[in-house]
């Protein structure tokens, strides 16, 4: 087990190194003036770009530049974001909770509903529930996320005035801005902070703003899980050990859930990494459309305004997340499948 | 030789009948046929005003308030008075251009890399697959966006960026397929009688491992159009007034919710270009889904 | 000696994409109490389908169209008979693994790969012998070896007492859906595992305490087959169906397993339905033999009769194709192929390959008739010997 994890950690390091090289290649396509922004930490410094070019050796050979860039990043200096008007690391702390909050709601829903729907569709192959799920799955991954979100906004905000975009209503937002001492932002997630501050009305307001983003996220990401779960369920149901179980006298429920589903979950675990990637992409789109100031919106704004340090550090960060989740998935997989021995 | 007895042809006929017994394939192929027709006949359906660059949507006036469908603009106009019908028609060509170019190049690149990695194994495999891992570490949309930023905004750069990112999946799936085929007896047999590596890869391995990748590629044509549309939507793609569905949705962005008394007043600004994107993607996905069922040996004979 | 199982005019079809596969076409035979009945035939002739139809575990897209599967469970009442095809699914669940059980062809696939051996064997006890398990626990509790506090003891006694009465009542369904309380049956499981250990030990597997904690992939093929047999034997069934139970094993292990079956039959199971394509196995173990071809029964007779005086041309051809030690000339084979059961040949399904075919065979299927003694044959031309 230990050797397995060490080997995976080494591989992880290799991939992260690759990501940093890739990002550095992207950085190199910009002029030294633009690149300098990746090294400054304050607006004052930003005025002295030529100085920075010399200070960080941006006119020097590529490998020296790469070395210095990595050194800065590992020291925690990710540069200055002109979009956020603050150092990248500080802005991170501000934007990340918004994104995490949304995913805290959508991820459990995706997993629970996805596995349930996939199982049901697999058990009742070609029956009504399977057909309905199939249609939903095809729609789920044919509907472009941004269009789906726009349509939801049109109907539930424009027509019914139910769920507005943004994270909080204007009045609530004004209140928080004017009375920072009455609403302490412990976590940066409004639903949680509302509870911690004893202001359930703020939590509810934040929840209301979360409905459409979460619905969009779940609809778009769930399709793949349902499909994988369905097909692996169908495959497991046709295996011989199911017959053995039935010949033993197991009822339908036991054969489906105790025998088939446990085995069918294994392939579903392997797409978890894919689900993470889809959730990240979904977050980006959803935040742009519903005007939620999270990582995704920040990233897109930075892309349109050429805020290079943000793009680079967000990519590095996402790379880290991806590699870590994959490590966790591998360990988890080995844990639930007795056939795999980590040695 | 009697053609109908050739097992390959018989199998192909069976595959065709399998595909077209699936209602989603029929809907998908009809939709595709429709889009191809529109793309081919674009100059007839919507005669260009600007002959040097027909992709520029003609517009009368600069008013930022969209106009509803009328005799002159049967789908209405967007903000800036761009004709939605013209954009929808010529946008079909843009969509095909994005989807087909990206997927075709990435397919050759990815499937080639995957085959080489899977066939030779060892250090070659290790190197190629670690590069693929690096590309996989960053979500598709984010990496594409980063590359577009590096190369500068514009539709052509979006195509380049998408190609540079999407090959990674073909390489991985292709390699997995090649690995299972590589150790089959007939490949071993070909090796023992001294067939060259290139020939083995092209004649024996590719045809038997390429189908899963082809199905994915087929369905990716739609995804490419979605991603390109989103990038155009946020302002990284086509310029204002270019016949591109994503860009047209971007023009509709401020008119999604109309005035309080008539919230859906500007529905046409989003429904027409948005509907085009959805149907286009649906067409490829429906057809791809049927293809997958037809080629999947586990589902095939059920 | 009466029948334990009688199958009458069983018809099973599979509705596949290519068409309707007529897998069983009017199959009838009966198994005597205390005997071993062998069902032989080439692969794909419908032997396994018959076995599965008896237990009603045919998988999609198969369907039992008509016929009767009559069980004579002596133990229930003197001469009662039950048509299994008419019973409810719940009745069948109760019967499977309890009165009729089955052991399977492919031990590698027949065991759930992610469930421990112990759990898989114990499942049979949990399904069918809850009451006995509960009584064991109750007696252990009053034994007072490891006494918990009085209140807990009372609680446990009530619960297991209740479970011994009716383990499927609403109360236990409710209990099963509450977290923590859901674990009330942990004791039940541990008793079941203990029984599994002793059963596995009886089948001649060394270190059963260790085996129960392993997973199928840790065991060899022969071991796995013994486990599959253990699952089949868990509740001392009236009838054991062995579906090619030895076909995929090495010859030495095959012999061991057959020996095991013989011993088991001596001390308990009343009857065995042995399905195989191996005539050697049939000669060694069976009392009576049914020969199947393409979904039909061709011939049923006592084992000596079949080997010494076969009446059906297919049986004769089958016997000729078995290699013999002192044989010098080429091994005979049956010309032609097993027919495609989507479009089976008209009349007698064997006629295209039959050496003794008459014109009538082409359009009229022969009925299974008694030739002499207890020798049944379905052939228009069975007099040709």
């Amino acid at each position: 087990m230990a050797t397995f994890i060490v080997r995976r950690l080494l591989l992880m390091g290799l991939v992260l190194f690759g990501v940093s090289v890739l990002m550095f290649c992207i950085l190199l396509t910009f002029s030294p003036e633009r690149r300098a922004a990746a090294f400054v930490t304050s607006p004052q410094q930003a005025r002295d770009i030529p100085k920075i070019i010399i200070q960080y050796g941006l006119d020097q050979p590529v490998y020296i530049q790469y070395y210095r860039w990595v050194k800065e990043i590992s020291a925690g200096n990710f540069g200055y974001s002109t979009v956020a008007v603050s150092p990248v690391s500080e802005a991170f702390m501000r934007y990340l909770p918004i994104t995490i909050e949304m995913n805290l709601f959508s991820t459990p829903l995706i997993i629970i509903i996805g596995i349930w729907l996939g199982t049901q569709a697999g058990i009742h192959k070609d029956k009504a529930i399977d057909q309905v799920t199939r249609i939903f799955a095809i729609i789920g991954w044919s509907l472009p996320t941004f269009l789906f979100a726009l349509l939801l906004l049109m109907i539930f905000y424009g027509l019914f005035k139910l769920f507005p975009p943004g994270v909080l209503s204007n009045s609530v937002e004004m209140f928080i801005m004017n009375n920072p001492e009455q609403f302490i932002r412990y976590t940066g997630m409004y639903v949680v902070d509302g509870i911690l501050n004893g202001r359930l009305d703020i939590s509810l307001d934040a929840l209301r703003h979360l409905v459409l983003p979460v619905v969009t996220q779940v609809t778009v990401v769930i399709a793949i899980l349902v499909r994988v779960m369905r097909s692996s369920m169908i495959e497991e149901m046709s295996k011989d050990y199911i017959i053995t179980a039935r010949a033993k006298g197991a009822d339908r429920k036991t054969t489906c859930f105790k025998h088939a589903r446990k085995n069918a979950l294994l392939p579903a675990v392997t797409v978890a990494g894919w689900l993470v990637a889809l959730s990240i992409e979904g977050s980006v789109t959803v935040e742009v459309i519903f005007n939620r100031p999270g990582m995704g919106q920040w990233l897109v704004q930075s892309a349109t305004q050429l805020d290079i340090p943000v793009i680079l550090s967000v990519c590095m960060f996402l790379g880290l997340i991806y590699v870590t989740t994959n490590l966790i998935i591998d360990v988890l997989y080995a844990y639930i499948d007795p056939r795999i021995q980590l040695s | 030789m009697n053609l109908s007895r050739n097992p390959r042809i018989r199998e192909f006929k069976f595959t065709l009948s399998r595909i077209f017994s699936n209602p989603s394939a029929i809907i998908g192929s009809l939709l595709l046929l429709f889009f191809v027709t529109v793309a081919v006949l674009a100059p007839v359906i919507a005669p260009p005003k600007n002959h040097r660059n027909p992709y520029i949507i003609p517009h009368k006036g600069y008013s930022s308030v969209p106009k509803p469908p009328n005799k002159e603009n049967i789908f209405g106009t967007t903000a800036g008075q761009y004709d939605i019908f013209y954009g929808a028609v010529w946008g079909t060509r843009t969509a095909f251009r994005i989807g087909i170019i990206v997927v075709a190049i990435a397919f050759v690149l990815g499937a080639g890399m995957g085959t080489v990695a899977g066939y030779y194994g060892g250090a070659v495999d290790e190197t190629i697959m670690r590069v693929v891992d690096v590309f996989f570490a960053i979500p598709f949309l984010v990496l594409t966006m980063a590359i577009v930023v590096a190369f500068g905004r514009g539709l052509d750069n979006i195509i380049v960026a998408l190609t540079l990112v999407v090959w990674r999946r073909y390489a991985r799936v292709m390699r997995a397929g090649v690995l299972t085929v590589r150790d089959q007896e007939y490949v071993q047999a070909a090796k023992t009688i001294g067939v060259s590596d290139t020939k083995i890869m092209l004649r024996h391995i590719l045809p038997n491992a390429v189908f899963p990748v082809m199905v994915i590629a087929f369905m990716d044509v739609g995804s490419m159009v979605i991603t390109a549309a989103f990038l155009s939507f946020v302002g990284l793609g086509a310029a204002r007034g270019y016949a591109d569905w994503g860009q047209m949705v971007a023009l509709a962005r401020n008119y999604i919710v109309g005035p309080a008394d008539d919230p859906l007043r500007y529905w046409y600004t989003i429904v027409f270009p948005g509907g085009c994107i959805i149907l286009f993607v649906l067409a490829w996905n429906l057809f791809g889904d049927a293809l997958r069922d037809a080629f999947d040996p586990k589902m095939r004979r059920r | 000696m009466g029948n334990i199982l009688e199958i009458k005019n069983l018809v099973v079809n599979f509705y596949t994409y290519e068409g309707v596969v007529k897998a069983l076409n009017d199959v009838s035979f009966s198994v005597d109490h205390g005997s071993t009945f062998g069902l032989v035939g080439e692969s794909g002739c419908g032997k396994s389908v018959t076995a599965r139809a008896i237990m009603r575990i045919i998988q999609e897209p198969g369907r039992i169209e008509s016929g009767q599967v009559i069980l004579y469970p002596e133990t229930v009442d003197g001469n009662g008979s039950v048509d299994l095809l008419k019973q409810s699914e719940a009745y069948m669940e109760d019967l499977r693994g309890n009165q009729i059980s089955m052991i399977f062809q492919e031990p590698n696939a027949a065991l759930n790969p992610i469930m421990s051996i112990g759990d898989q064997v114990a499942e049979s006890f949990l399904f069918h012998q809850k009451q006995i398990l509960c009584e064991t626990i109750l007696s252990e509790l009053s034994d007072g070896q490891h006494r918990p506090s009085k209140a807990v003891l009372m609680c446990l006694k009530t619960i297991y007492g209740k479970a011994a009465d009716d383990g499927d009542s609403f109360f236990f369904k409710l209990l099963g859906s509450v977290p923590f309380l859901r674990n009330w049956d942990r004791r039940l499981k541990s008793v079941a595992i203990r029984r599994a250990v002793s059963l596995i030990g009886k089948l001649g597997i060394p270190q059963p305490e260790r085996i129960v904690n392993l997973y199928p992939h840790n065991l060899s093929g022969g071991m796995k087959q013994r486990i599959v047999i253990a699952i089949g034997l868990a509740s001392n069934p009236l009838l054991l169906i062995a579906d090619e139970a030895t076909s995929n094993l090495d010859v030495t292990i095959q012999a061991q397993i057959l020996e095991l079956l013989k011993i088991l039959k001596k001390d308990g199971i009343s009857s065995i339905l042995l399905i195989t394509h191996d005539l050697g196995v049939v000669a060694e173990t069976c009392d009576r033999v049914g020969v199947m071809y393409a979904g039909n029964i061709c011939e049923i007779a006592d084992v000596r009769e079949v080997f010494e005086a076969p009446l059906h041309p297919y049986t004769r051809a089958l016997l000729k194709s078995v290699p013999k030690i002192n044989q010098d000339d080429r091994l005979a084979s049956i010309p032609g192929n097993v027919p495609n059961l989507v479009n089976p040949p008209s009349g007698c399904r064997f006629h295209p390959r039959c050496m003794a075919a008459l014109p009538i065979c082409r359009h009229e299927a022969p009925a299974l008739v008694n030739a002499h003694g207890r020798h049944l044959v379905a052939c228009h031309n069975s007099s040709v010997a």
Side-chain angles (χ1 to χ4, degrees):
Chain A
M1 189 75 183
T3 46
F4 168 79
I5 291 181
V6 167
R7 216 180 55 214
R8 287 304 312 253
L9 281 175
L10 282 177
L11 213 62
M12 233 173 104
L14 194 68
V15 170
L16 282 180
F17 166 74
V19 171
S20 73
V21 171
L22 185 66
M23 286 303 120
F24 185 70
C25 291
I26 288 177
L27 185 62
L28 277 184
T29 60
F30 297 99
S31 65
E33 283 76 22
R34 281 213 173 279
R35 264 183 280 154
F39 295 93
V40 297
T41 46
S42 69
Q44 288 76 30
Q45 255 186 309
R47 279 185 218 117
D48 281 330
I49 291 292
K51 222 164 150 189
I52 286 171
I53 293 182
I54 294 164
Q55 188 188 340
Y56 289 97
L58 297 184
D59 44 0
Q60 292 196 357
V62 174
Y63 57 92
I64 294 178
Q65 289 191 39
Y66 175 75
Y67 169 73
R68 290 191 169 196
W69 179 66
V70 171
K71 207 168 109 187
E72 286 294 317
I73 280 192
S74 33
N77 173 18
F78 298 101
Y80 185 83
S81 164
T82 48
V83 169
V85 208
S86 65
V88 170
S89 46
E90 249 173 60
F92 242 89
M93 293 299 125
R94 208 162 65 230
Y95 292 124
L96 196 56
I98 304 279
T99 308
I100 289 181
E101 183 172 34
M102 184 181 76
N103 283 293
L104 274 185
F105 284 97
S106 63
T107 311
L109 285 177
I110 290 167
I111 293 173
I112 293 168
I113 302 177
I115 288 178
W116 184 80
L117 264 186
T119 311
Q120 291 299 326
I123 294 173
H124 307 287
K125 182 173 175 275
D126 294 333
K127 304 268 170 59
I129 187 167
D130 184 30
Q131 302 293 0
V132 172
T133 324
R134 190 189 171 106
I135 292 169
F136 269 108
I138 289 188
I139 290 177
W141 101 90
S142 296
L143 259 189
T145 320
F146 75 104
L147 273 176
F148 183 57
L150 282 175
L151 287 175
L152 285 184
L153 209 55
M154 233 169 121
I155 295 165
F156 291 98
Y157 174 56
L159 195 58
F160 297 126
K161 311 256 180 302
L162 275 177
F163 304 115
V167 274
L168 287 174
S169 304
N170 282 338
S171 55
V172 178
E173 207 154 2
M174 289 305 283
F175 168 81
I176 293 175
M177 246 161 70
N178 295 333
N179 309 287
E181 71 288 343
Q182 280 184 41
F183 190 89
I184 302 156
R185 304 198 51 190
Y186 300 101
T187 59
M189 301 179 222
Y190 286 107
V191 178
V192 183
D193 287 346
I195 296 170
L196 290 180
N197 283 296
R199 289 291 306 265
L200 284 180
D201 55 321
I202 293 183
S203 288
L204 279 180
D205 188 62
L207 270 180
R208 201 158 72 99
H209 287 81
L210 269 169
V211 172
L212 291 186
V214 169
V215 168
T216 314
Q217 178 87 319
V218 170
T219 316
V220 172
V221 179
I222 208 168
I224 177 75
L225 181 59
V226 171
R227 293 291 294 187
V228 169
M229 199 60 209
R230 171 184 179 269
S231 59
S232 68
M233 196 67 195
I234 291 174
E235 196 180 329
E236 295 302 325
M237 287 296 284
S238 70
K239 289 214 171 137
D240 280 3
Y241 67 82
I242 293 294
I243 303 238
T244 311
R246 290 191 66 196
K248 252 188 258 183
D251 55 32
R252 206 177 153 70
K253 211 175 122 197
T254 314
T255 33
C256 287
F257 295 104
K258 197 169 161 198
H259 288 273
R261 186 163 73 181
K262 266 196 189 162
N263 279 285
L265 275 172
L266 295 176
V269 171
T270 54
V271 294
W274 196 353
L275 291 180
V276 171
L278 277 178
S279 296
I280 293 172
E281 285 178 19
S283 305
V284 171
T285 319
V286 163
E287 284 176 6
V288 168
I289 306 291
F290 292 110
N291 190 21
R292 299 178 64 80
M295 295 267 294
Q297 199 189 36
W298 183 36
L299 180 71
V300 170
Q301 282 173 356
S302 306
T304 48
Q305 294 170 32
L306 291 183
D307 196 349
I308 302 148
V310 177
I311 298 170
L312 298 186
S313 25
V314 170
C315 284
M316 295 289 289
F317 174 72
L318 294 180
L320 187 67
I321 288 189
Y322 181 84
V323 177
T324 323
T325 35
N326 270 316
L327 177 70
I328 295 171
I329 291 163
D330 280 357
V331 174
L332 195 73
Y333 198 88
Y335 178 73
I336 55 178
D337 188 346
R339 281 166 295 184
I340 296 177
Q341 258 124 22
L342 303 178
S343 53
Chain B
M1 195 174 78
N2 190 345
L3 269 184
S4 64
R5 303 194 89 189
N6 183 329
R8 269 195 193 190
I9 293 189
R10 228 176 40 213
E11 205 56 20
F12 181 68
K13 272 190 182 159
F14 176 70
T15 305
L16 276 186
S17 73
R18 190 90 182 95
I19 292 175
F20 285 100
S21 68
N22 189 337
S24 64
I26 298 170
I27 302 174
S29 45
L30 285 180
L31 274 174
L32 269 187
L33 198 69
F34 168 74
F35 279 114
V36 171
T37 320
V38 170
V40 171
L41 297 182
V44 184
I45 301 172
K49 299 247 165 63
N50 181 341
H51 286 280
R52 261 177 309 163
N53 189 352
Y55 287 96
I56 303 298
I57 308 175
H59 66 122
K60 269 197 192 135
Y62 294 90
S63 162
S64 65
V65 182
K67 271 205 211 100
N70 54 42
K71 264 192 194 136
E72 204 175 327
N73 313 104
I74 55 172
F75 284 181
T77 60
T78 60
Q81 301 310 314
Y82 294 101
D83 181 30
I84 296 180
F85 179 73
Y86 188 92
V89 170
W90 284 86
T92 313
R93 283 195 171 192
T94 313
F96 272 112
R97 198 173 79 210
I98 297 168
I100 304 274
I101 293 181
V102 169
V103 169
I105 300 177
F107 178 81
V108 172
L109 191 71
M113 296 274 240
T115 312
V116 170
Y119 183 73
Y120 287 105
V124 180
D125 181 27
E126 202 63 27
T127 317
I128 293 179
M129 291 329 283
R130 291 299 83 77
V131 173
V132 172
D133 280 351
V134 168
F135 275 83
F136 252 109
I138 304 166
F140 181 70
L141 178 65
V142 178
L143 187 54
T144 313
M145 206 146 65
I147 297 179
V148 172
V149 169
F151 290 167
R153 56 189 74 183
L155 213 54
D156 294 335
N157 285 338
I158 287 186
I159 292 179
V160 173
L162 286 170
T163 314
L164 283 179
V165 181
V166 81
W167 68 276
R168 59 187 194 177
R169 195 147 144 237
Y170 306 149
R172 208 178 250 187
V173 177
M174 191 69 206
R175 172 177 172 270
V178 169
L179 281 184
T180 57
V181 175
R182 188 183 65 176
D183 297 326
Q184 304 271 327
E185 276 78 4
Y186 62 84
V187 175
Q188 297 301 330
K191 262 191 204 166
T192 10
I193 58 171
V195 180
S196 75
D197 281 350
T198 335
K199 218 169 176 183
I200 290 180
M201 272 192 267
L202 288 178
R203 296 247 352 230
H204 298 283
I205 291 187
L206 255 175
N208 289 297
V210 84
F211 280 118
V213 192
M214 264 171 65
V215 172
I216 295 176
F218 213 84
M219 297 172 99
D220 269 350
V221 175
S223 321
M224 293 308 104
V225 173
I226 293 183
T227 312
F230 179 71
L231 292 176
S232 284
F233 176 78
V234 300
L236 287 172
R240 192 180 154 95
Y242 191 87
D244 172 79
W245 295 332
Q247 186 274 138
M248 289 166 72
V249 177
L251 284 174
R253 193 176 179 187
N254 293 330
Y255 297 93
I256 288 158
V257 177
D261 55 321
D262 186 12
L264 299 185
R265 179 184 282 177
Y266 305 114
W267 60 273
Y268 46 87
T269 55
I270 180 156
V271 166
F272 289 119
C276 285
I277 301 178
I278 293 172
L279 289 180
F280 189 82
V281 176
L282 198 65
W284 290 95
N285 278 351
L286 285 176
F287 200 78
D289 199 44
L291 268 189
R292 179 174 52 193
D293 280 2
F295 283 123
D296 185 348
K298 281 177 201 149
M299 306 295 245
R300 193 181 166 93
R301 308 273 175 195
R302 288 209 180 150
Chain C
M1 213 193 315
N3 295 337
I4 182 160
L5 181 80
E6 195 174 348
I7 292 167
K8 284 184 188 162
N9 310 94
L10 192 61
V11 178
V12 174
N13 289 343
F14 282 79
Y15 293 84
T16 64
Y17 174 74
E18 273 101 346
V20 182
V21 178
K22 291 136 195 127
L24 291 190
N25 179 29
D26 213 9
V27 167
S28 309
F29 65 92
S30 54
V31 180
D32 296 338
H33 252 299
S35 75
T36 303
F37 188 96
L39 202 54
V40 276
E42 293 163 285
S43 35
C45 72
K47 295 165 298 183
S48 293
V49 176
T50 311
R52 288 175 189 196
I54 293 170
M55 298 195 80
R56 278 180 48 195
I57 48 174
I58 290 185
Q59 281 181 310
E60 286 287 304
R63 210 182 296 158
I64 302 174
E65 303 286 349
S66 61
Q68 285 176 300
V69 175
I70 301 168
L71 183 71
Y72 298 91
E74 226 188 15
T75 43
V76 178
D77 53 72
N79 45 7
S81 66
V82 195
D83 184 354
L84 298 184
L85 298 187
K86 291 209 177 77
Q87 301 306 317
S88 68
E89 184 61 26
Y91 181 93
M92 289 306 294
E93 274 159 18
D94 207 40
L95 176 131
R96 285 183 205 128
N98 195 8
Q99 284 159 26
I100 303 182
S101 63
M102 194 162 166
I103 53 184
F104 293 91
Q105 205 168 133
E106 178 60 69
N108 295 318
L111 293 173
N112 187 336
I114 60 167
M115 220 168 148
S116 75
I117 298 293
D119 284 342
Q120 297 196 48
V121 179
E123 248 193 348
S124 306
F125 295 116
L126 289 171
F127 289 147
H128 302 295
Q129 300 181 10
K130 237 180 195 162
Q131 211 175 337
I132 302 171
L133 297 180
C134 288
E135 276 155 17
T136 318
I137 295 172
L138 280 177
S139 72
E140 272 171 16
L141 283 175
S142 26
D143 250 9
Q145 292 271 321
H146 37 315
R147 173 159 292 184
S149 73
K150 256 212 162 94
V152 176
L153 193 67
M154 283 295 289
C155 262
L156 287 174
K157 270 191 173 176
T158 332
I159 288 182
Y160 287 109
K162 243 184 154 149
D165 286 345
D166 180 12
D168 298 323
S169 68
F170 179 70
F171 173 70
F172 287 99
K173 278 196 183 130
L174 201 70
L175 209 60
S177 55
V178 181
F180 299 113
L181 292 184
R182 193 185 287 169
N183 292 331
W184 71 273
D185 59 356
R186 217 193 284 146
R187 257 165 210 274
L188 216 56
K189 275 187 188 145
S190 74
V191 176
I193 296 266
R194 260 187 288 156
R195 296 200 60 175
V197 170
S198 78
L199 177 64
I200 293 173
K202 264 190 224 154
L203 291 183
I205 299 176
Q207 294 178 293
E209 302 83 2
R210 199 176 64 88
I211 297 278
V212 287
N213 293 322
L214 297 179
Y215 289 88
H217 69 275
N218 301 118
L219 302 181
S220 67
M223 284 284 197
K224 272 186 247 184
Q225 191 60 301
R226 278 164 204 257
I227 300 297
V228 173
I229 292 176
I231 292 174
L233 294 177
S235 326
N236 298 318
L238 293 171
L239 174 68
L240 181 73
I241 302 175
D243 182 1
E244 302 266 15
T246 56
S247 308
N248 288 327
L249 300 174
D250 292 344
V251 188
T252 46
I253 296 164
Q254 193 176 337
Q256 286 174 17
I257 299 278
L258 286 174
E259 199 53 38
L260 181 66
L261 282 180
K262 268 188 188 167
I263 295 169
L264 289 170
K265 192 161 160 276
K266 247 182 233 156
D267 3 299
I269 333 165
S270 112
S271 327
I272 296 179
L273 173 57
L274 190 83
I275 291 172
T276 180
H277 59 255
D278 187 340
L279 288 166
V281 172
V282 171
E284 213 167 301
T285 46
C286 295
D287 303 317
R288 241 174 116 71
V289 184
V291 182
M292 276 190 90
Y293 179 78
N296 283 332
I297 294 269
C298 312
E299 186 166 11
I300 302 174
D302 288 346
V303 67
R304 286 186 72 99
E305 282 271 321
V306 167
F307 281 92
E308 282 164 14
L311 289 180
H312 199 283
Y314 175 65
T315 319
R316 267 182 260 137
L318 205 59
L319 286 170
K320 264 190 214 142
S321 62
V322 176
K324 292 169 195 71
I325 295 220
N326 50 4
Q327 188 169 21
D328 290 331
D329 49 339
R330 282 180 68 120
L331 200 59
S333 64
I334 306 175
N337 290 315
V338 181
N340 176 357
L341 292 184
V342 176
N343 288 311
S346 60
C348 174
R349 286 186 176 180
F350 187 59
H351 85 256
R353 300 169 75 184
C354 185
M355 306 295 237
L358 300 173
I360 187 177
C361 300
R362 214 172 280 242
H363 41 260
E364 195 179 314
L368 191 65
V369 293
N370 204 337
H372 56 82
R374 296 183 69 217
H375 195 147
L376 285 74
V377 68
C379 183
H380 294 298
N381 196 13
S382 58
S383 54
V384 185

